[in-house]
């Protein structure tokens, strides 16, 4: 049986985070100091590639295993790259 796969942008809404709240939660973790509202907005919209450290922090804050996330360097696929499965 295949595990469920999640899109981080959908989990933000499901977990009830606003961008300011998500940013604050991410910045509390080591390596998350650069994760401001604008940066997160770009990541979640697929407008900017995400690095491994920020991806792991987002997964931690959103309480999801990284291997359970539909992802690419552009989290939502965006105009740059399709979501990889």
């Amino acid at each position: 049986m295949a595990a469920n796969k999640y899109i981080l942008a959908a989990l933000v809404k499901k977990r009830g985070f606003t961008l300011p709240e998500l940013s604050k939660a991410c910045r509390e973790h080591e390596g998350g100091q650069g994760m401001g509202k604008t940066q997160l907005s770009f990541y979640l919209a697929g407008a900017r590639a995400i690095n491994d450290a920020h991806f792991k922090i987002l997964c931690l804050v959103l309480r999801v295993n990284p291997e359970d996330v539909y992802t690419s360097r552009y989290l939502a696929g965006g105009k740059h790259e399709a979501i990889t499965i």
Side-chain angles (χ1 to χ4, degrees), residues 18-71:
T18 63
L19 278 178
E21 292 168 341
L22 183 62
S23 174
K24 181 179 179 185
C26 289
R27 285 183 278 128
E28 291 174 355
H29 296 278
E30 185 176 341
Q33 291 71 26
M35 297 177 75
K37 295 180 294 187
T38 303
Q39 186 82 0
L40 287 171
S41 177
F42 286 148
Y43 287 159
L44 296 171
R48 180 175 293 161
I50 189 168
N51 65 41
D52 291 339
H54 285 184
F55 174 71
K56 289 176 184 174
I57 291 168
L58 271 174
C59 289
L60 179 67
V61 169
L62 295 173
R63 301 181 317 269
V64 65
N65 291 324
E67 54 274 359
D68 293 337
V69 176
Y70 282 122
T71 190

